[in-house]
Structures are given as C-alpha cells and as structure tokens.
Amino acid sequence: MSSVSHLVETVDYDRTKLRIRLLHIGFGAFAKAHVLVFHDDMLRRTASDWGVVVARLNSGADELTGLDEADGLFTVGEMSGDDLSLREVGAICATVHPKRDGIDALPNRIADPDLAVITLTITEKGYCLKDGRLDEDNPGIQQDLATPDAPSTAIGVLVEGLRRRHAAGLAGLTILSCDNLPANGELCRRAVLDFAARLNPDLAEWIEGNCTFPCSMVDRITPAMTDSSFATLEDALGRADRNGILCETFRQWVIEDRFAGPRPDWHLAGAEFVEDVAPFEDMKLRMLNGSHSFLAYLGALADKETIADCMADPAFRQAALNLMLNEQAPTLSVPDGVDIKAYAEALIARFENTALHHKTTQIASDGSQKLPQRLLAPIRQHLKDNSPWPLSALAVAAWMLYCRGVSRTGASLPLNDPLSARISTIVQETDGNAYVDRMLSLSEVFGDDLPGSAAFGSTIRSAYQRLQTSDIASVLKA
C-alpha cells in the first residue's frame, strides 16, 4: 500500500442534515463523475438539505452494496496529463436495487413526500422508444404493461412510482434526463405518457399536468474504469476505493429551466439554466460526439487503442479539427456568446488528455443509435445545401467497416450494438458495395430518406472502398 501522495478535498458539509430530495436512476460512472459532482459542489456552497438516493435496475447490486458499506462516500479523480486532483463526494444518503431490496423499493422511493427531482442516465435503450414513441413491441414494456405493479424497465418504474405518488395526493416531480441524446426530456416525457395512457388515461393526464421533463445537455469525458484506473486511484489515495471514478477536469451541464417544484441550486456549481437547450445540445452532439465517433471507428481500424493515441497522430488530429470546423459547425445554430473555433480547439485539447485512457472501442459501441444524431443529421443538412461532407462520409464508412469486426492489421474488434445480430448476418452474407447497400437498408439508422439518395449512397460507397484499399492515415490526409 503506497502512502498518500495527493490531498483529497473532503466533504465539508453536515451530511446528517441531508434529506432524500433527489433520486438518480441508472447510477454508474457518468453519474458519479457528473451529476453527483455538480450536486456535491452545490452542497459545499449552500446549507441545502438536498440528499440523494441512487438506484440501478439490472446489474450492479453488489456495487451499490459496496457503496453502502462506504457510507455513500466515493472519490472522483479529475485528470489532466500528469495532474490528478481528488475530491470526496458525500451527497448520497442511500441506494436502491429492486433485485436486492424488493420490487416495491424503487416505486416507493418515487412516492416519498420529500422527493422533488428524478435524474436519469439510463442510455438511449432505457427509454424503450421507436420512432420517438414508446415501443410497445419491446418485451420489457409488454411485461410491465401486463404487470405494472412489478415493473422491470425504467419507464415502467417511473410510471408506477408516479401512480403511487398520485394516489397518495402528493405533488408532481421534475424528471430530468441526463442521457446523451437530442431532446432527451421530450423523449422521456413521450415514453412515460404513452405508457401511462395505456394503463390509465387519468394517470397520464395527471402526469402531464403536474410533472415536467426538462431537456439537458451533459458533457464530461468519463472513460470506463479498468484495473489500471483503480490502481492509479489507489496510488493517489493511499488506499483502495472500488467506488471511485476517474474523469477529465472539464464538466458542463445545460438545463432547461422548467421544474415542477423546488429546483436544486446547481447554478452555484456552474450549471446553466436556459430557456432552450437545443443549440447547446446540437453543438455538443455534432462537434464533440460526432468527432469522437469519427476518431473511434477510424482509430480502432488503425489499431489505435485510445482517443489520445489518435491525437498523437497528426493526420487524425487535423482531420478531427477539420471535421468540426468545416463539416459540423456550418450545420449549427451557434448559441450566443460561443466562439465556435475556440470551442473546437478546446475539444481537441480535451481529446489530447493522455490521462484519459478513453478506448476507441468503448466509444464505438452502440453505433447504430449514435450515428443518426452525431453524423447523419449534419449530413442531411449538407445534402440539402449541396455542400461537401467527405470526412463525415469516412466516419459512416468506417462504422460499416468496423462492424465487420477486424482492424486493418487483423485484430479483432468487438461489436456491441442493439442491432448486432442483424449486422452480423449482413457481414456474413455480403461484401463490398453489396455490403454497403445492405447496411444502408437499416432504417433504424438511416431512415427512409438517405438510402434513396443517390448522392448519399455513392459517397458512402466511395469512402468505404477507399478505406478498404488504402492506408487510413493516407486517406485522412487526402
């Protein structure tokens, strides 16, 4: 065990005064590094009694128990190059897991009179949506509609908790999505109301009239923890913290100012409350996430393990910057006061952070769900404007090549995607242009419009052929 080599910013507020005012569903690495850090920062700056209960629905019961054994305390390490600063987060008062605590535990928490806000990081899959509405063919949704008092999905849990809250004569709640998808609050609202309407139209009406679903934009690069990450944290702390997390120093949270009741003073911790989140959302999804996906697929194909490895290659670095400024930025309505060139350069600097071992294959997961908003939305704008989009085409083609599961040197690439079964079938049955055309037929990804566009199809086929036959760095330079 090494000696403590870094000072830890310990909790300086009275945790005994905290009441459970906020519930977070989907508690994982990002929630620890983002939502809980903003909340902890707020508690340090106020005499607030806003305590937090955190929940997971499926895996992770043992991790929550480990957090309980640590009295809800965990460490966040903020890294930049060789610099590491440590903070102790103490906002958590309790944890909930239905497989550990019983099926009623989470809905009953939602029906707690003290509760005012629910935050969510359940990933896009957790909303059980299809074409912007509740997917009633989803097996989990079908099960929850059949047995609503024993829900298994996040949407089922929310509606059952709100039903109990309504039955008890309590006020509505603010349900705040913190997932990385456009109009996340509206999508959450639609899923909840569709589910509730199937059960009881009066309940749906009460939810619509008494609960709010603000949109938000979240930003903090938080790689998955590895054995090496935990070792780094242990060396800095002088002790192990299996609940801890490492992330970058940058964090941003833009929130639609639409709350059903009391609002946490997150602005004191740097959160921005705005009337319209959409311009910030689009800027982040396209500039940061779009270039992240670009680097992930092309980098993985070129056997680059991390985003920082990509940034060490001048061809990748320049291509990412060109993608942001020449292809993504022109499709945006830039928020007032934002210098888009400075924003792009700041993103490049964040990507260069060698302390963040953010694996290209981690970012490459769930591509069928990420591509539409990150890359295809701006491509649609370019097609409309008849403006060039060569780097965006390379990113889409690289996703297709990545899905074949082999890098340029023959290394295996993991395919973690909701459409993996269908994609694997296409991979086995086709190659070349036939493969590209079959991939373009995935309407969940490309919609009905792009496959019918001759300009789109020919551009993607050409980009795919270049990636198959040429060195990737050379293609980027060209």
Side-chain angles (χ1 to χ4, degrees), residues 13 22 30-46 50 52 74 76 78 87 89 91 119 178 217-220 249-255 264-273:
Y13 47 88
L22 185 144
F30 185 78
K32 289 179 182 180
H34 189 275
V35 178
L36 268 294
V37 168
F38 273 95
H39 200 83
D40 182 76
D41 230 7
M42 178 198 74
L43 294 176
R44 293 171 186 269
R45 299 167 188 270
T46 66
W50 279 72
V52 181
F74 66 91
V76 175
E78 300 177 342
R87 65 182 297 150
V89 174
T119 50
C178 302
M217 186 277 277
V218 296
D219 189 2
R220 182 167 231 185
T249 57
F250 178 90
R251 58 183 163 97
Q252 184 180 20
W253 198 2
V254 183
I255 307 166
D265 292 327
W266 289 323
H267 62 286
L268 299 177
E272 303 170 72
F273 291 100

Side-chain angles (χ1 to χ4, degrees), residues 3 32 49 123 153 183 189 222 317 323 409 411 424 426 435:
S3 60
K32 289 179 182 180
D49 65 352
T123 76
T153 67
R189 172 183 171 275
T222 309
R317 186 187 187 281
L323 173 70
T409 62
S424 296
I426 296 172
Y435 169 70

Side-chain angles (χ1 to χ4, degrees), residues 169-241:
L170 299 174
L173 297 174
T174 301
I175 300 172
L176 176 60
S177 172
C178 302
D179 282 296
N180 189 30
L181 64 161
N184 51 16
E186 178 55 31
L187 292 175
C188 181
R189 172 183 171 275
R190 191 69 269 157
V192 167
L193 290 179
D194 284 352
F195 189 99
R198 281 291 309 272
L199 294 178
N200 185 334
D202 290 340
L203 174 60
E205 184 178 351
W206 179 84
I207 293 172
E208 188 165 24
N210 292 273
C211 298
T212 60
F213 298 82
C215 295
S216 77
M217 186 277 277
V218 296
D219 189 2
R220 182 167 231 185
I221 297 173
T222 309
M225 291 294 283
T226 63
D227 289 342
S228 175
S229 304
F230 281 116
T232 297
L233 190 58
E234 180 174 356
D235 185 61
L237 281 171
R239 60 176 175 82
D241 183 358

Side-chain angles (χ1 to χ4, degrees), residues 141-182:
I141 293 297
Q142 291 180 338
Q143 178 182 323
D144 285 0
L145 287 171
T147 57
D149 58 345
S152 61
T153 67
I155 301 304
V157 165
L158 286 171
V159 173
E160 175 60 13
L162 292 173
R163 185 196 66 77
R164 297 183 190 192
R165 194 172 183 88
H166 176 40
L170 299 174
L173 297 174
T174 301
I175 300 172
L176 176 60
S177 172
C178 302
D179 282 296
N180 189 30
L181 64 161

